[in-house]
Amino acid sequence: MGVNLLLGLQWGDEGKGKIVDVLTKDYDIIARFQGGPNAGHTLEFDGIKHVLHTIPSGIFHDKALNLVGNGVVIDPVIFKKELDNLEKFNLDYHSKLLISRKAHLILPTHRILDAVSEAAKGKAKIGSTLKGIGPTYMDKTGRNGIRVGDLELSDWKERYRALANKHEAMIDFYDAKIEYDLEELEKEFFIAIDTLKSLTFIDSEAYLHEAQRSGKTILAEGAQGSLLDIDFGTYPFVTSSNTTAAGACTGLGIAPNQIKEVFGIFKAYTTRVGSGPFPTELFDEDGETMGRVGNEFGATTGRSRRCGWLDLVALKYAVHVNGVTQLMMMKGDVLSGFNTLKICTAYKYQGKEITHFPYSIEPENVEPVYTEMKGWKEDLTKMSDESEFPDTLNAYIKFLEKELETPITIVSVGPDRKQTIHR
Ligand code: GDP
Ligand code: IMO
Ligand code: MG
């Protein structure tokens, strides 16, 4: 049977939530493998838009079980808010949600540390979502973290206190002063912990191993995107986890030889939130149009996303690093009306033309080289079959398939579940 992976190939927000929701009917288990509430995954159906941060995007289906894997970092406070939202839709999440005992917890002081660390960086700030992601993964790799399974131990509150005290000393170390009321934050945190404890904690790697043995179908859901990967992204302007395919192995305990299909999702153009280099970024009317038509505002922070042309150098790199077997192209509808579409096929790197993704893509090193293609005028959002596609869209798709040597099996033409065309 094996495990299929679904992950973002750009700087996040490619539409992972939407596609996981579309695919869930074919799976028994949807398992999130990394990241935390820095993610915002949007799903739309029956005229309602849902945004999930930690909960896997299969939660709205009756059949599938949803697992929050060991590679995920959980903020109990945000998690509780997500659960409260589900209750509004009469959704019985208790029967469909499983939490790995090995997932790490984001403490209130992790969030504050994130804020003071960013403030101290000044102009060099990462543009973090300020959800405490970096400090929590630092405590994980520093072997100081508190895990979900610890909540079942009698001394966990003492361990919490010791870590929070240490964090307070670290916060004081920074010059940047941030007002906070830890007592208030802790009150909210401990209430949320009680809610978290009402869910089922499991040894998820054993559970997934057994699921594989008994022929269950598993889809692993990634967060962020390959260019935000801690190793392969545009460091230091990245997140603190492995967002690429290997992250699914460590984030769930899945063996590499069990991975079958790797679904790579990309937008027909490019966006990025937060700081960091972005060679094809547009500062003109075209970029403004993409942002407006594509409604490019962060699902977690509401910040406007920077927009630009599709970057094939970066996309090819992501296809290789992840071993993508099928591509899914999102938001082609947003490009309707452009006379000409540009695709970056190479970089001018320190005077030479290159097609691989180099160590640094800072503007002083890299200038994009573009190929131009004819755009399409047609509104794609009402289309339900590939046969309705304008020739220029078909040419765009064919060009990308050839360059990336990978088939595009889904073309998404709008945010709704139904606006999904299988090829
Ligand atoms: P994720 O983080 O990868 O799950 O993506 P986000 O939810 O952060 O951002 C994707 C945004 O694009 C959401 O607002 C989606 O509703 C929307 N979206 C997804 N697919 C399409 C599409 O094909 N066309 C349009 N216009 N919007 C889409
Ligand atoms: P989804 O799963 C887009 C970006 C932040 C910042 C950098 C580091 O919705 O695609 P962090 O809070 O992780 O320390 O921020 O990463 N970032 C995202 N950008 N989509 C996301 O998730 C992101 N998660 C983090 O904007 O630049
Ligand atoms: Mg998002």
Side-chain angles (χ1 to χ4, degrees):
M1 276 287 157
V3 180
N4 293 347
L5 311 187
L6 182 140
L7 31 85
L9 300 181
Q10 295 161 316
W11 278 291
D13 304 330
E14 297 89 351
K16 297 175 291 293
K18 168 182 164 162
I19 295 297
V20 171
D21 172 59
V22 166
L23 298 181
T24 296
K25 61 176 178 21
D26 300 328
Y27 291 90
D28 298 309
I29 301 167
I30 308 296
R32 199 30 213 276
F33 62 84
Q34 47 67 235
N38 48 350
H41 294 180
T42 314
L43 288 68
E44 235 180 276
F45 52 87
D46 301 339
I48 303 171
K49 181 169 142 176
H50 304 271
V51 180
L52 298 168
H53 302 286
T54 329
I55 294 174
S57 302
I59 197 73
F60 292 99
H61 291 253
D62 289 336
K63 192 189 80 174
L65 284 170
N66 289 262
L67 167 69
V68 179
N70 58 279
V72 177
V73 289
I74 301 174
D75 183 332
V77 177
I78 296 177
F79 200 71
K80 180 177 182 326
K81 283 187 189 143
E82 288 188 68
L83 294 173
D84 291 347
N85 261 335
L86 294 181
E87 255 167 27
K88 284 187 212 150
F89 295 96
N90 277 333
L91 200 142
D92 174 25
Y93 53 77
H94 279 104
S95 61
K96 310 203 259 189
L97 201 47
L98 303 167
I99 318 287
S100 169
R101 287 200 171 88
K102 292 194 173 77
H104 279 245
L105 293 178
I106 302 177
L107 313 186
T109 42
H110 281 131
R111 266 184 273 142
I112 297 157
L113 273 171
D114 205 359
V116 288
S117 159
E118 278 284 83
K121 282 186 158 86
K123 270 196 180 147
K125 71 173 184 183
I126 311 292
S128 151
T129 59
L130 302 179
K131 303 296 177 195
I133 303 297
T136 305
Y137 279 113
M138 278 164 72
D139 270 339
K140 174 177 177 174
T141 51
R143 297 160 294 178
N144 300 310
I146 295 182
R147 303 191 287 179
V148 165
D150 295 339
L151 300 176
E152 295 168 325
L153 307 175
S154 57
D155 71 339
W156 90 266
K157 277 202 177 156
E158 284 134 57
R159 292 172 52 187
Y160 166 83
R161 190 77 274 143
L163 188 55
N165 286 348
K166 189 174 122 184
H167 288 162
E168 281 192 281
M170 288 163 75
I171 293 162
D172 286 343
F173 164 83
Y174 286 95
D175 285 337
K177 292 290 166 251
I178 295 215
E179 297 281 323
Y180 65 95
D181 181 344
L182 188 55
E183 226 174 275
E184 250 337 279
L185 293 172
E186 285 183 344
K187 220 187 274 171
E188 183 185 44
F189 178 74
F190 288 119
I191 291 172
I193 288 282
D194 286 339
T195 303
L196 186 64
K197 283 170 86 170
S198 74
L199 296 172
T200 310
F201 298 166
I202 60 165
D203 297 332
S204 53
E205 61 288 351
Y207 173 83
L208 287 176
H209 183 66
E210 190 44 44
Q212 288 169 77
R213 278 166 63 99
S214 60
K216 295 249 161 66
T217 48
I218 302 167
L219 178 65
E221 174 180 4
Q224 289 79 55
S226 300
L227 303 177
L228 289 170
D229 182 276
I230 184 72
D231 283 283
F232 299 106
T234 46
Y235 193 89
F237 302 103
V238 293
T239 190
S240 298
S241 63
N242 280 118
T243 60
T244 44
C249 295
T250 56
L252 291 173
I254 283 169
N257 60 356
Q258 293 306 307
I259 294 172
K260 293 293 179 284
E261 298 291 330
V262 179
F263 305 129
I265 302 213
F266 68 101
K267 279 179 192 169
Y269 49 101
T270 311
T271 64
R272 171 163 209 173
V273 236
S275 329
F278 179 178
T280 61
E281 183 169 10
L282 289 166
F283 301 94
D284 59 7
E285 219 173 278
D286 286 341
E288 191 273 326
T289 304
M290 289 172 189
R292 183 173 32 81
V293 180
N295 194 23
E296 296 294 357
F297 297 95
T300 294
T301 59
R303 292 178 293 178
S304 52
R305 297 178 183 139
R306 301 153 63 192
C307 298
W309 297 117
L310 188 64
D311 183 342
L312 264 189
V313 179
L315 203 50
K316 221 176 253 183
Y317 170 70
V319 167
H320 292 163
V321 169
N322 291 301
V324 172
T325 60
Q326 294 184 40
L327 287 161
M328 295 165 177
M329 186 173 94
M330 313 300 288
K331 301 190 103 162
D333 55 297
V334 175
L335 295 182
S336 290
F338 281 90
N339 287 325
T340 306
L341 300 172
K342 290 188 181 183
I343 301 176
C344 168
T345 48
Y347 294 151
K348 246 191 216 143
Y349 181 73
Q350 298 172 343
K352 271 201 303 210
E353 209 168 287
I354 59 164
T355 52
H356 78 275
F357 197 75
Y359 178 71
S360 161
I361 59 158
E362 288 294 337
E364 62 269 25
N365 291 320
V366 157
E367 198 191 312
V369 178
Y370 289 109
T371 293
E372 294 194 352
M373 295 196 77
K374 239 179 132 204
W376 49 90
K377 292 265 172 296
E378 292 80 354
D379 174 10
L380 310 183
T381 58
K382 308 264 173 347
M383 295 184 181
S384 56
D385 191 88
E386 194 193 355
S387 58
E388 298 168 71
F389 284 174
D391 292 344
T392 43
L393 172 59
N394 283 324
Y396 194 79
I397 292 171
K398 283 234 162 63
F399 180 76
L400 299 184
E401 286 184 320
K402 185 164 156 276
E403 288 289 315
L404 299 168
E405 298 174 310
T406 314
I408 295 177
T409 54
I410 283 183
V411 176
S412 171
V413 293
D416 193 272
R417 210 185 242 178
K418 293 201 184 107
Q419 292 169 304
T420 311
I421 298 173
H422 297 261
R423 300 174 74 232

